[in-house]
Every structure is written in structure tokens, then in C-alpha cells.
Amino acid sequence: TTAATLEHFTVNFTITNLPYYSDLEKPESARFKSTKRVMNTLLDRLMKGSSIGPDFHGCESTAFR
């Protein structure tokens, strides 16, 4: 058997009920860190509950705009 390799991919989407604040542009801001933590948790739950769940190894929010 061949070992599986991890594939990285990018997903962009719009959240219509999350107000935008300029400090979301700054990864060191408390608002960015909090939003990132919440988004990563919610996306992890969503993906792990999907058909790719057994192969899913996590997500990382990199920017908000």
C-alpha cells in the first residue's frame, strides 16, 4: 500500500452576518484571533461531519477581508 499524502487547498466564502471591522486585517489583534478560533472550530466540525471527515486533518483561517 501507498501512504496517503496531505493536500492543501484554499476555500473562499462570504459570511453575511459577521460585521467587518478593520482590526480583522491584523493577525495580532484580539478580534482577529477570536474570530479565527471560532471559524476554525466551526469549520472543523462541519468538515469532520461531512463525507471527507475521515480524511480531514484540520483547517486554518489565514485572512478576513
Side-chain angles (χ1 to χ4, degrees):
T1 61
T2 303
T5 60
L6 293 178
E7 295 288 332
H8 294 262
F9 61 93
T10 300
V11 176
N12 296 302
F13 57 91
T14 302
I15 302 170
T16 59
N17 65 344
L18 177 65
Y20 181 78
Y21 299 95
S22 61
D23 54 345
L24 285 172
E25 293 178 18
K26 303 171 189 154
E28 69 281 355
S29 75
R31 189 181 309 265
F32 182 97
K33 291 175 183 178
S34 174
T35 303
K36 177 179 177 174
R37 184 174 51 256
V38 169
M39 291 305 303
N40 289 352
T41 298
L42 293 173
L43 289 169
D44 279 348
R45 287 182 191 165
L46 178 68
M47 299 304 284
K48 287 178 182 174
S50 74
S51 61
I52 69 165
D55 299 312
F56 181 71
H57 292 279
C59 68
E60 181 74 20
S61 298
T62 58
F64 301 104
R65 57 185 179 105

